Amino acid sequence: MELERLVVIWCPLLQQEGGRGEEARRFVQVVARAGEICPWVHPIRLGVCALPARGPARFFGGEEMVVRHLVEAVEEDASVGVADGLFAAILAARSQLIVPAGEVAQFLAPWSVATLARPELAVTLQRLGVTTLGQFAALPAPHVSDRFGADAAACHRLSRGESGELAGVRDRAIDRRLRVARGEDPDLGSEPPPFQPGFFGGASAAETRAALSFARVQERLGVDAVLVGRLRGGRDPSEQAALVPWGSPEAEGPAAGGAPWPGRLPAPSPTRVLGVPQRAEMVDATGRAVVVSGRGLLEAEVDRLSVEGGPWQPVVAWAGPWPVTERWWSVRRRRARLQVVMADGTARLLYNERTQWWVEALYD
Amino acid sequence: MFAFPTEIPAEKPVEKSVPLRSRELPVGLADRVRPTTPAAGRLLPVPAPLVPLFPDGALRRGTTTTVAGEPGHGATTLALALLAAVSQAGSWCAAVGLPDPGVVAAAELGIDLRRVVFVPHPGRGWAEAAGDLLPGVDVVLVRPPGRARGTVARHLAARVRDRQAALVVLVERVSDWPQGGDLALTVGDVEWQGIGQGHGHLQRRRAEVRVSGRRSAGRDTECTLWLPADSGVVSAATATAKGEDGSVGAGPDNGPKAA
């Protein structure tokens, strides 16, 4: 299947609506000015609009010329990119690239799985050692769909370049929001007002400066280098919270309060939650491995710990295990967590799964 | 990559280092220029229990504060706590080079997550990333990957003065930041309480924190903090708590709560 070739115009400063709606009004102008030189410009969400590339490319004599004309026309800080499919074209715009037709999978391969804006999937994939879209694409399709479900299967097709778009990329209320910004009657609807993130409610000068500086770091290090924290329910420290790219749709959502899940450890929480857990061995005074019994109890007193084959360090205190049984994408996981304090005063959170201990987090 | 840039070279803004205005001005005046900073005032608030650590009772704009401590002894907790009151007051903060930040812990410390961005993996570009962020945020927390080079530290400190932001540098030893901060907070001895041999849970960590540096007015002070206390916030530990052991169920005797 051939994906539609799209030009995307991305205005980093107009992605978030401030209190006065100025961003939406300026974005309306961007769409209108782009529409004066190219047909079929349609807004995707605030700060992002797309148009088919083929016609204008023929008219202007190449995609570079289309990009050049658009950059001049919009009169805003805008990045323009061209690629097959909307998802890749947005990434291309953020990196200011023209990705040749048919090479979308190669273009997507080095991007992090976090760019899919599916934090739970990204966390799980990263635990499995799958960090890039290329590695994700290399997984067999039936396995992905069996284990992770339909939405992940859609992400998988996308990362293979077989589809061009993901659910959630388009703001379904965008046309309506822009009608409001144009001062038109947003038909007779009684839709709730567009969600305004706490980010951009305040002094707009400070917000603009902040947004500009984040965009600069994204330019330097990549879109997913600048992250914001979001809380949600979950037992493991890695599941209670997520880091999502700044400016992504998830970052704009309300920060759900930490739902009190049963089995969650009491505060204080660890200040460093390892993206990739460290394998650990734990033994009692006689050198036998410490295991968790079927009843969820430690079968021996903890004496020392070795992380990733490192030297044995004496354990002076420990607490737990706190058993956790939960369904996680239809794979039943039995876990038990343990807090340990070492002789040097440092503390760690470990978990045990299938008799293997892992260091999950550090209390620095 | 089979792709080529769409950027039009002529439109690219020339990247020039900002003239270090504050250095060229006479002493006294240098401290007062840059009133264009929208957030008025020269001080950025810190949580109440940390006020005694600072000569001004707050983070001073244009200065560098180092937070030093052995890995695992709570320096990260102390550094993150310095973002709590500032973010609650509506200022943007950034944390550069904290590899796997504990978001829940950050929230427990009182950080407003809507006001903090994390750049966990800046790689070799940590100083550049911090420099990029300085014009846009009020506090940048940066953790260099090792000992910082002298020129890098000087340049960043100068940019901090020029931009009138506050820089917090998280290091293992004070000497890892060649300039030495304007103020240096060092976490010394620590002790976890509430956890025993197979019972209780990590409840609070008692930590000795030493204050030194150019702006400490020549007097090195020491204080004892819960880093963090039971609820995850930072609070002051009283001297009488010193002898308390880690027995389970023993509540903190000063009822730590952040302001």
Side-chain angles (χ1 to χ4, degrees), chain A residues 80 96 100 103 207 209 220 227 269 271 273 316 318-319 339 344 363-364, chain B residues 2 6 72-73 76-77 92 100 102 108 118 132 135 196 198 202 205:
Chain A
V80 181
Q96 301 183 327
E103 304 198 7
E207 301 305 330
R209 277 190 309 137
R220 195 188 285 281
L227 307 175
S269 297
T271 50
V273 179
V316 295
W318 68 94
Q339 293 176 327
D344 63 4
Y363 295 84
D364 185 21
Chain B
F2 309 99
T6 61
H73 279 193
T76 301
T77 302
W92 276 98
D100 308 287
E108 286 168 359
F118 296 92
D132 282 345
L202 291 172
R205 172 170 45 196

PDB file of all heavy atoms in Angstrom, chain A residues 80 96 100 103 207 209 220 227 269 271 273 316 318-319 339 344 363-364, chain B residues 2 6 72-73 76-77 92 100 102 108 118 132 135 196 198 202 205:
ATOM      1  N   VAL A  80       9.070  22.916   8.436  1.00  0.00           N
ATOM      2  CA  VAL A  80       8.325  22.215   7.405  1.00  0.00           C
ATOM      3  C   VAL A  80       9.069  20.937   7.061  1.00  0.00           C
ATOM      4  O   VAL A  80      10.298  20.917   7.015  1.00  0.00           O
ATOM      5  CB  VAL A  80       8.153  23.093   6.154  1.00  0.00           C
ATOM      6  CG1 VAL A  80       7.339  22.367   5.084  1.00  0.00           C
ATOM      7  CG2 VAL A  80       7.465  24.404   6.529  1.00  0.00           C
ATOM      8  N   GLN A  96      12.892  19.217  10.296  1.00  0.00           N
ATOM      9  CA  GLN A  96      13.091  19.989   9.068  1.00  0.00           C
ATOM     10  C   GLN A  96      13.766  19.151   7.992  1.00  0.00           C
ATOM     11  O   GLN A  96      14.859  19.456   7.530  1.00  0.00           O
ATOM     12  CB  GLN A  96      13.905  21.247   9.355  1.00  0.00           C
ATOM     13  CG  GLN A  96      13.211  22.135  10.373  1.00  0.00           C
ATOM     14  CD  GLN A  96      13.942  23.425  10.648  1.00  0.00           C
ATOM     15  OE1 GLN A  96      15.159  23.471  10.600  1.00  0.00           O
ATOM     16  NE2 GLN A  96      13.214  24.476  10.916  1.00  0.00           N
ATOM     17  N   PRO A 100      12.763  10.964   1.465  1.00  0.00           N
ATOM     18  CA  PRO A 100      12.403  10.480   0.128  1.00  0.00           C
ATOM     19  C   PRO A 100      11.261   9.470   0.172  1.00  0.00           C
ATOM     20  O   PRO A 100      11.126   8.717   1.141  1.00  0.00           O
ATOM     21  CB  PRO A 100      13.695   9.816  -0.370  1.00  0.00           C
ATOM     22  CG  PRO A 100      14.780  10.432   0.446  1.00  0.00           C
ATOM     23  CD  PRO A 100      14.174  10.762   1.776  1.00  0.00           C
ATOM     24  N   GLU A 103      10.876   5.579   1.772  1.00  0.00           N
ATOM     25  CA  GLU A 103      11.919   5.285   2.764  1.00  0.00           C
ATOM     26  C   GLU A 103      11.480   5.651   4.168  1.00  0.00           C
ATOM     27  O   GLU A 103      12.297   5.929   5.035  1.00  0.00           O
ATOM     28  CB  GLU A 103      13.202   6.028   2.388  1.00  0.00           C
ATOM     29  CG  GLU A 103      13.629   5.654   0.984  1.00  0.00           C
ATOM     30  CD  GLU A 103      15.071   5.985   0.681  1.00  0.00           C
ATOM     31  OE1 GLU A 103      15.785   6.395   1.604  1.00  0.00           O
ATOM     32  OE2 GLU A 103      15.448   5.829  -0.479  1.00  0.00           O
ATOM     33  N   GLU A 207       5.804  32.116  29.149  1.00  0.00           N
ATOM     34  CA  GLU A 207       5.483  30.845  28.517  1.00  0.00           C
ATOM     35  C   GLU A 207       6.154  30.725  27.156  1.00  0.00           C
ATOM     36  O   GLU A 207       6.655  29.680  26.787  1.00  0.00           O
ATOM     37  CB  GLU A 207       3.969  30.694  28.357  1.00  0.00           C
ATOM     38  CG  GLU A 207       3.187  30.757  29.649  1.00  0.00           C
ATOM     39  CD  GLU A 207       3.685  29.746  30.676  1.00  0.00           C
ATOM     40  OE1 GLU A 207       4.193  28.687  30.270  1.00  0.00           O
ATOM     41  OE2 GLU A 207       3.579  30.042  31.866  1.00  0.00           O
ATOM     42  N   ARG A 209       8.865  32.260  26.156  1.00  0.00           N
ATOM     43  CA  ARG A 209      10.310  32.058  26.337  1.00  0.00           C
ATOM     44  C   ARG A 209      10.608  30.614  26.682  1.00  0.00           C
ATOM     45  O   ARG A 209      11.537  30.005  26.166  1.00  0.00           O
ATOM     46  CB  ARG A 209      10.824  32.953  27.466  1.00  0.00           C
ATOM     47  CG  ARG A 209      11.138  34.370  27.054  1.00  0.00           C
ATOM     48  CD  ARG A 209      11.850  35.072  28.187  1.00  0.00           C
ATOM     49  NE  ARG A 209      11.118  34.925  29.449  1.00  0.00           N
ATOM     50  CZ  ARG A 209      11.667  34.661  30.611  1.00  0.00           C
ATOM     51  NH1 ARG A 209      12.958  34.512  30.706  1.00  0.00           N
ATOM     52  NH2 ARG A 209      10.936  34.554  31.690  1.00  0.00           N
ATOM     53  N   ARG A 220      18.249  20.357  19.180  1.00  0.00           N
ATOM     54  CA  ARG A 220      19.600  19.867  19.411  1.00  0.00           C
ATOM     55  C   ARG A 220      19.619  18.365  19.654  1.00  0.00           C
ATOM     56  O   ARG A 220      20.480  17.659  19.141  1.00  0.00           O
ATOM     57  CB  ARG A 220      20.192  20.586  20.631  1.00  0.00           C
ATOM     58  CG  ARG A 220      21.681  20.462  20.778  1.00  0.00           C
ATOM     59  CD  ARG A 220      22.126  21.043  22.097  1.00  0.00           C
ATOM     60  NE  ARG A 220      22.143  22.490  22.160  1.00  0.00           N
ATOM     61  CZ  ARG A 220      23.119  23.236  21.634  1.00  0.00           C
ATOM     62  NH1 ARG A 220      24.118  22.667  21.014  1.00  0.00           N
ATOM     63  NH2 ARG A 220      23.072  24.541  21.734  1.00  0.00           N
ATOM     64  N   LEU A 227      11.085  16.028  28.240  1.00  0.00           N
ATOM     65  CA  LEU A 227       9.962  15.248  28.733  1.00  0.00           C
ATOM     66  C   LEU A 227       9.287  15.960  29.896  1.00  0.00           C
ATOM     67  O   LEU A 227       9.906  16.763  30.597  1.00  0.00           O
ATOM     68  CB  LEU A 227      10.452  13.877  29.215  1.00  0.00           C
ATOM     69  CG  LEU A 227      11.277  13.074  28.206  1.00  0.00           C
ATOM     70  CD1 LEU A 227      11.810  11.800  28.841  1.00  0.00           C
ATOM     71  CD2 LEU A 227      10.455  12.736  26.971  1.00  0.00           C
ATOM     72  N   SER A 269       8.797   7.764  47.795  1.00  0.00           N
ATOM     73  CA  SER A 269       9.055   6.973  46.604  1.00  0.00           C
ATOM     74  C   SER A 269      10.499   7.173  46.150  1.00  0.00           C
ATOM     75  O   SER A 269      11.126   8.168  46.486  1.00  0.00           O
ATOM     76  CB  SER A 269       8.105   7.409  45.489  1.00  0.00           C
ATOM     77  OG  SER A 269       6.776   7.151  45.867  1.00  0.00           O
ATOM     78  N   THR A 271      13.762   8.178  44.066  1.00  0.00           N
ATOM     79  CA  THR A 271      14.029   9.330  43.204  1.00  0.00           C
ATOM     80  C   THR A 271      14.629   8.917  41.870  1.00  0.00           C
ATOM     81  O   THR A 271      14.740   9.730  40.977  1.00  0.00           O
ATOM     82  CB  THR A 271      15.014  10.294  43.877  1.00  0.00           C
ATOM     83  OG1 THR A 271      16.138   9.553  44.340  1.00  0.00           O
ATOM     84  CG2 THR A 271      14.355  11.026  45.030  1.00  0.00           C
ATOM     85  N   VAL A 273      14.113   5.865  39.097  1.00  0.00           N
ATOM     86  CA  VAL A 273      13.423   4.655  38.669  1.00  0.00           C
ATOM     87  C   VAL A 273      14.112   4.178  37.397  1.00  0.00           C
ATOM     88  O   VAL A 273      14.029   4.825  36.357  1.00  0.00           O
ATOM     89  CB  VAL A 273      11.929   4.930  38.408  1.00  0.00           C
ATOM     90  CG1 VAL A 273      11.238   3.654  37.948  1.00  0.00           C
ATOM     91  CG2 VAL A 273      11.262   5.476  39.653  1.00  0.00           C
ATOM     92  N   VAL A 316      22.003  -4.362  55.501  1.00  0.00           N
ATOM     93  CA  VAL A 316      21.815  -4.174  56.941  1.00  0.00           C
ATOM     94  C   VAL A 316      20.339  -4.167  57.337  1.00  0.00           C
ATOM     95  O   VAL A 316      20.005  -4.419  58.487  1.00  0.00           O
ATOM     96  CB  VAL A 316      22.499  -2.886  57.454  1.00  0.00           C
ATOM     97  CG1 VAL A 316      24.006  -2.991  57.288  1.00  0.00           C
ATOM     98  CG2 VAL A 316      21.966  -1.660  56.735  1.00  0.00           C
ATOM     99  N   TRP A 318      16.092  -4.766  55.637  1.00  0.00           N
ATOM    100  CA  TRP A 318      15.239  -5.012  54.486  1.00  0.00           C
ATOM    101  C   TRP A 318      13.797  -5.072  54.940  1.00  0.00           C
ATOM    102  O   TRP A 318      13.531  -5.285  56.128  1.00  0.00           O
ATOM    103  CB  TRP A 318      15.637  -6.314  53.761  1.00  0.00           C
ATOM    104  CG  TRP A 318      15.366  -7.558  54.542  1.00  0.00           C
ATOM    105  CD1 TRP A 318      14.259  -8.346  54.491  1.00  0.00           C
ATOM    106  CD2 TRP A 318      16.225  -8.156  55.525  1.00  0.00           C
ATOM    107  NE1 TRP A 318      14.359  -9.393  55.371  1.00  0.00           N
ATOM    108  CE2 TRP A 318      15.557  -9.304  56.015  1.00  0.00           C
ATOM    109  CE3 TRP A 318      17.495  -7.837  56.030  1.00  0.00           C
ATOM    110  CZ2 TRP A 318      16.107 -10.134  56.984  1.00  0.00           C
ATOM    111  CZ3 TRP A 318      18.039  -8.669  56.999  1.00  0.00           C
ATOM    112  CH2 TRP A 318      17.357  -9.791  57.467  1.00  0.00           C
ATOM    113  N   ALA A 319      12.899  -4.833  54.011  1.00  0.00           N
ATOM    114  CA  ALA A 319      11.477  -4.894  54.340  1.00  0.00           C
ATOM    115  C   ALA A 319      10.727  -5.449  53.140  1.00  0.00           C
ATOM    116  O   ALA A 319      11.106  -5.247  52.002  1.00  0.00           O
ATOM    117  CB  ALA A 319      10.943  -3.506  54.706  1.00  0.00           C
ATOM    118  N   GLN A 339      12.433  -3.810  49.806  1.00  0.00           N
ATOM    119  CA  GLN A 339      13.326  -2.661  49.998  1.00  0.00           C
ATOM    120  C   GLN A 339      14.542  -3.138  50.773  1.00  0.00           C
ATOM    121  O   GLN A 339      14.404  -3.898  51.735  1.00  0.00           O
ATOM    122  CB  GLN A 339      12.617  -1.567  50.807  1.00  0.00           C
ATOM    123  CG  GLN A 339      11.458  -0.920  50.068  1.00  0.00           C
ATOM    124  CD  GLN A 339      10.731   0.099  50.947  1.00  0.00           C
ATOM    125  OE1 GLN A 339      10.651  -0.082  52.158  1.00  0.00           O
ATOM    126  NE2 GLN A 339      10.206   1.141  50.324  1.00  0.00           N
ATOM    127  N   ASP A 344      26.480   0.814  53.274  1.00  0.00           N
ATOM    128  CA  ASP A 344      26.974   2.164  52.964  1.00  0.00           C
ATOM    129  C   ASP A 344      25.874   3.224  53.059  1.00  0.00           C
ATOM    130  O   ASP A 344      26.087   4.381  52.704  1.00  0.00           O
ATOM    131  CB  ASP A 344      27.628   2.195  51.573  1.00  0.00           C
ATOM    132  CG  ASP A 344      26.643   1.882  50.458  1.00  0.00           C
ATOM    133  OD1 ASP A 344      25.441   1.706  50.738  1.00  0.00           O
ATOM    134  OD2 ASP A 344      27.071   1.814  49.290  1.00  0.00           O
ATOM    135  N   TYR A 363      16.922   4.999  45.919  1.00  0.00           N
ATOM    136  CA  TYR A 363      16.473   6.118  46.753  1.00  0.00           C
ATOM    137  C   TYR A 363      17.643   7.078  46.928  1.00  0.00           C
ATOM    138  O   TYR A 363      18.321   7.053  47.945  1.00  0.00           O
ATOM    139  CB  TYR A 363      15.979   5.610  48.111  1.00  0.00           C
ATOM    140  CG  TYR A 363      14.736   4.748  48.021  1.00  0.00           C
ATOM    141  CD1 TYR A 363      14.813   3.388  47.737  1.00  0.00           C
ATOM    142  CD2 TYR A 363      13.474   5.300  48.219  1.00  0.00           C
ATOM    143  CE1 TYR A 363      13.682   2.601  47.649  1.00  0.00           C
ATOM    144  CE2 TYR A 363      12.329   4.523  48.135  1.00  0.00           C
ATOM    145  CZ  TYR A 363      12.433   3.179  47.844  1.00  0.00           C
ATOM    146  OH  TYR A 363      11.307   2.398  47.754  1.00  0.00           O
ATOM    147  N   ASP A 364      17.923   7.873  45.892  1.00  0.00           N
ATOM    148  CA  ASP A 364      19.057   8.794  46.022  1.00  0.00           C
ATOM    149  C   ASP A 364      18.567  10.140  46.533  1.00  0.00           C
ATOM    150  O   ASP A 364      17.479  10.567  46.205  1.00  0.00           O
ATOM    151  CB  ASP A 364      19.761   9.001  44.686  1.00  0.00           C
ATOM    152  CG  ASP A 364      21.008   9.854  44.875  1.00  0.00           C
ATOM    153  OD1 ASP A 364      21.521   9.930  46.014  1.00  0.00           O
ATOM    154  OD2 ASP A 364      21.467  10.459  43.897  1.00  0.00           O
TER     155      ASP A 364
ATOM    156  N   PHE B   2      18.663   9.112   4.475  1.00  0.00           N
ATOM    157  CA  PHE B   2      18.460   9.559   3.099  1.00  0.00           C
ATOM    158  C   PHE B   2      17.526  10.747   3.106  1.00  0.00           C
ATOM    159  O   PHE B   2      16.437  10.703   2.595  1.00  0.00           O
ATOM    160  CB  PHE B   2      17.861   8.430   2.263  1.00  0.00           C
ATOM    161  CG  PHE B   2      18.623   7.150   2.401  1.00  0.00           C
ATOM    162  CD1 PHE B   2      18.174   6.165   3.269  1.00  0.00           C
ATOM    163  CD2 PHE B   2      19.800   6.947   1.706  1.00  0.00           C
ATOM    164  CE1 PHE B   2      18.875   4.991   3.413  1.00  0.00           C
ATOM    165  CE2 PHE B   2      20.496   5.774   1.852  1.00  0.00           C
ATOM    166  CZ  PHE B   2      20.044   4.778   2.708  1.00  0.00           C
ATOM    167  N   THR B   6      15.604  20.954   5.187  1.00  0.00           N
ATOM    168  CA  THR B   6      14.734  21.896   4.488  1.00  0.00           C
ATOM    169  C   THR B   6      14.977  23.317   4.957  1.00  0.00           C
ATOM    170  O   THR B   6      14.362  24.243   4.468  1.00  0.00           O
ATOM    171  CB  THR B   6      13.262  21.567   4.749  1.00  0.00           C
ATOM    172  OG1 THR B   6      13.025  21.684   6.141  1.00  0.00           O
ATOM    173  CG2 THR B   6      12.918  20.186   4.285  1.00  0.00           C
ATOM    174  N   GLY B  72      23.377   7.833  46.134  1.00  0.00           N
ATOM    175  CA  GLY B  72      22.520   7.068  47.023  1.00  0.00           C
ATOM    176  C   GLY B  72      22.355   7.683  48.394  1.00  0.00           C
ATOM    177  O   GLY B  72      21.656   7.138  49.229  1.00  0.00           O
ATOM    178  N   HIS B  73      23.000   8.823  48.642  1.00  0.00           N
ATOM    179  CA  HIS B  73      22.900   9.431  49.967  1.00  0.00           C
ATOM    180  C   HIS B  73      21.910  10.593  50.028  1.00  0.00           C
ATOM    181  O   HIS B  73      21.868  11.307  51.021  1.00  0.00           O
ATOM    182  CB  HIS B  73      24.282   9.882  50.447  1.00  0.00           C
ATOM    183  CG  HIS B  73      25.066   8.740  51.014  1.00  0.00           C
ATOM    184  ND1 HIS B  73      26.209   8.897  51.742  1.00  0.00           N
ATOM    185  CD2 HIS B  73      24.856   7.409  50.954  1.00  0.00           C
ATOM    186  CE1 HIS B  73      26.674   7.705  52.116  1.00  0.00           C
ATOM    187  NE2 HIS B  73      25.872   6.800  51.638  1.00  0.00           N
ATOM    188  N   THR B  76      20.223  13.760  45.274  1.00  0.00           N
ATOM    189  CA  THR B  76      19.185  13.963  44.257  1.00  0.00           C
ATOM    190  C   THR B  76      17.903  14.485  44.904  1.00  0.00           C
ATOM    191  O   THR B  76      17.254  15.395  44.382  1.00  0.00           O
ATOM    192  CB  THR B  76      18.902  12.646  43.503  1.00  0.00           C
ATOM    193  OG1 THR B  76      20.113  12.201  42.891  1.00  0.00           O
ATOM    194  CG2 THR B  76      17.828  12.833  42.444  1.00  0.00           C
ATOM    195  N   THR B  77      17.562  13.925  46.062  1.00  0.00           N
ATOM    196  CA  THR B  77      16.370  14.377  46.779  1.00  0.00           C
ATOM    197  C   THR B  77      16.484  15.856  47.132  1.00  0.00           C
ATOM    198  O   THR B  77      15.548  16.636  46.920  1.00  0.00           O
ATOM    199  CB  THR B  77      16.179  13.542  48.067  1.00  0.00           C
ATOM    200  OG1 THR B  77      16.086  12.169  47.707  1.00  0.00           O
ATOM    201  CG2 THR B  77      14.930  13.961  48.823  1.00  0.00           C
ATOM    202  N   TRP B  92       9.012  28.148  35.585  1.00  0.00           N
ATOM    203  CA  TRP B  92       9.447  26.942  34.897  1.00  0.00           C
ATOM    204  C   TRP B  92      10.795  26.502  35.438  1.00  0.00           C
ATOM    205  O   TRP B  92      11.650  27.325  35.743  1.00  0.00           O
ATOM    206  CB  TRP B  92       9.569  27.201  33.401  1.00  0.00           C
ATOM    207  CG  TRP B  92       8.281  27.071  32.675  1.00  0.00           C
ATOM    208  CD1 TRP B  92       7.444  28.070  32.310  1.00  0.00           C
ATOM    209  CD2 TRP B  92       7.689  25.849  32.213  1.00  0.00           C
ATOM    210  NE1 TRP B  92       6.350  27.554  31.659  1.00  0.00           N
ATOM    211  CE2 TRP B  92       6.479  26.203  31.576  1.00  0.00           C
ATOM    212  CE3 TRP B  92       8.051  24.514  32.280  1.00  0.00           C
ATOM    213  CZ2 TRP B  92       5.646  25.251  31.019  1.00  0.00           C
ATOM    214  CZ3 TRP B  92       7.219  23.564  31.719  1.00  0.00           C
ATOM    215  CH2 TRP B  92       6.025  23.936  31.098  1.00  0.00           C
ATOM    216  N   ASP B 100      17.076   8.762  35.215  1.00  0.00           N
ATOM    217  CA  ASP B 100      15.763   8.116  35.307  1.00  0.00           C
ATOM    218  C   ASP B 100      14.973   8.768  36.427  1.00  0.00           C
ATOM    219  O   ASP B 100      14.769   8.169  37.479  1.00  0.00           O
ATOM    220  CB  ASP B 100      15.912   6.618  35.602  1.00  0.00           C
ATOM    221  CG  ASP B 100      16.848   5.923  34.637  1.00  0.00           C
ATOM    222  OD1 ASP B 100      16.443   5.735  33.487  1.00  0.00           O
ATOM    223  OD2 ASP B 100      17.972   5.595  35.039  1.00  0.00           O
ATOM    224  N   GLY B 102      12.597   9.938  39.214  1.00  0.00           N
ATOM    225  CA  GLY B 102      11.412   9.359  39.843  1.00  0.00           C
ATOM    226  C   GLY B 102      10.320  10.415  39.910  1.00  0.00           C
ATOM    227  O   GLY B 102      10.374  11.326  40.724  1.00  0.00           O
ATOM    228  N   GLU B 108       5.954  13.979  45.282  1.00  0.00           N
ATOM    229  CA  GLU B 108       5.893  13.918  46.743  1.00  0.00           C
ATOM    230  C   GLU B 108       6.718  15.032  47.386  1.00  0.00           C
ATOM    231  O   GLU B 108       6.384  15.539  48.448  1.00  0.00           O
ATOM    232  CB  GLU B 108       6.397  12.559  47.238  1.00  0.00           C
ATOM    233  CG  GLU B 108       5.414  11.422  46.998  1.00  0.00           C
ATOM    234  CD  GLU B 108       6.018  10.048  47.212  1.00  0.00           C
ATOM    235  OE1 GLU B 108       7.217   9.962  47.534  1.00  0.00           O
ATOM    236  OE2 GLU B 108       5.293   9.066  47.047  1.00  0.00           O
ATOM    237  N   PHE B 118      12.065  17.567  31.958  1.00  0.00           N
ATOM    238  CA  PHE B 118      13.230  16.728  32.192  1.00  0.00           C
ATOM    239  C   PHE B 118      13.940  16.480  30.863  1.00  0.00           C
ATOM    240  O   PHE B 118      13.302  16.188  29.861  1.00  0.00           O
ATOM    241  CB  PHE B 118      12.812  15.380  32.787  1.00  0.00           C
ATOM    242  CG  PHE B 118      12.185  15.490  34.148  1.00  0.00           C
ATOM    243  CD1 PHE B 118      10.801  15.606  34.283  1.00  0.00           C
ATOM    244  CD2 PHE B 118      12.964  15.490  35.291  1.00  0.00           C
ATOM    245  CE1 PHE B 118      10.219  15.709  35.543  1.00  0.00           C
ATOM    246  CE2 PHE B 118      12.390  15.597  36.550  1.00  0.00           C
ATOM    247  CZ  PHE B 118      11.013  15.707  36.676  1.00  0.00           C
ATOM    248  N   ASP B 132      20.828  26.259  26.651  1.00  0.00           N
ATOM    249  CA  ASP B 132      19.628  26.533  25.848  1.00  0.00           C
ATOM    250  C   ASP B 132      18.433  26.841  26.740  1.00  0.00           C
ATOM    251  O   ASP B 132      17.558  27.628  26.380  1.00  0.00           O
ATOM    252  CB  ASP B 132      19.263  25.307  24.989  1.00  0.00           C
ATOM    253  CG  ASP B 132      20.156  25.184  23.764  1.00  0.00           C
ATOM    254  OD1 ASP B 132      20.846  26.170  23.442  1.00  0.00           O
ATOM    255  OD2 ASP B 132      20.164  24.103  23.142  1.00  0.00           O
ATOM    256  N   PRO B 135      17.603  30.758  29.131  1.00  0.00           N
ATOM    257  CA  PRO B 135      16.763  31.922  28.828  1.00  0.00           C
ATOM    258  C   PRO B 135      15.272  31.666  29.062  1.00  0.00           C
ATOM    259  O   PRO B 135      14.504  32.609  29.162  1.00  0.00           O
ATOM    260  CB  PRO B 135      17.009  32.169  27.331  1.00  0.00           C
ATOM    261  CG  PRO B 135      18.178  31.345  26.964  1.00  0.00           C
ATOM    262  CD  PRO B 135      18.246  30.219  27.937  1.00  0.00           C
ATOM    263  N   GLY B 196      13.569  -2.394  59.300  1.00  0.00           N
ATOM    264  CA  GLY B 196      14.366  -3.269  60.158  1.00  0.00           C
ATOM    265  C   GLY B 196      14.830  -4.476  59.380  1.00  0.00           C
ATOM    266  O   GLY B 196      14.968  -4.428  58.159  1.00  0.00           O
ATOM    267  N   GLY B 198      13.638  -7.268  57.991  1.00  0.00           N
ATOM    268  CA  GLY B 198      12.460  -8.006  57.555  1.00  0.00           C
ATOM    269  C   GLY B 198      11.147  -7.394  58.003  1.00  0.00           C
ATOM    270  O   GLY B 198      10.105  -8.011  57.884  1.00  0.00           O
ATOM    271  N   LEU B 202      10.922   1.677  54.322  1.00  0.00           N
ATOM    272  CA  LEU B 202      11.724   2.897  54.262  1.00  0.00           C
ATOM    273  C   LEU B 202      10.796   4.060  54.584  1.00  0.00           C
ATOM    274  O   LEU B 202       9.825   4.294  53.867  1.00  0.00           O
ATOM    275  CB  LEU B 202      12.338   3.089  52.874  1.00  0.00           C
ATOM    276  CG  LEU B 202      13.426   2.097  52.459  1.00  0.00           C
ATOM    277  CD1 LEU B 202      13.782   2.316  50.999  1.00  0.00           C
ATOM    278  CD2 LEU B 202      14.657   2.207  53.340  1.00  0.00           C
ATOM    279  N   ARG B 205      14.725   9.470  55.914  1.00  0.00           N
ATOM    280  CA  ARG B 205      16.192   9.417  55.914  1.00  0.00           C
ATOM    281  C   ARG B 205      16.730  10.672  56.580  1.00  0.00           C
ATOM    282  O   ARG B 205      16.450  11.791  56.180  1.00  0.00           O
ATOM    283  CB  ARG B 205      16.720   9.326  54.480  1.00  0.00           C
ATOM    284  CG  ARG B 205      18.243   9.466  54.398  1.00  0.00           C
ATOM    285  CD  ARG B 205      18.769   9.137  53.021  1.00  0.00           C
ATOM    286  NE  ARG B 205      18.001   9.742  51.951  1.00  0.00           N
ATOM    287  CZ  ARG B 205      18.061   9.371  50.678  1.00  0.00           C
ATOM    288  NH1 ARG B 205      18.850   8.386  50.313  1.00  0.00           N
ATOM    289  NH2 ARG B 205      17.347   9.988  49.782  1.00  0.00           N
TER     290      ARG B 205
END
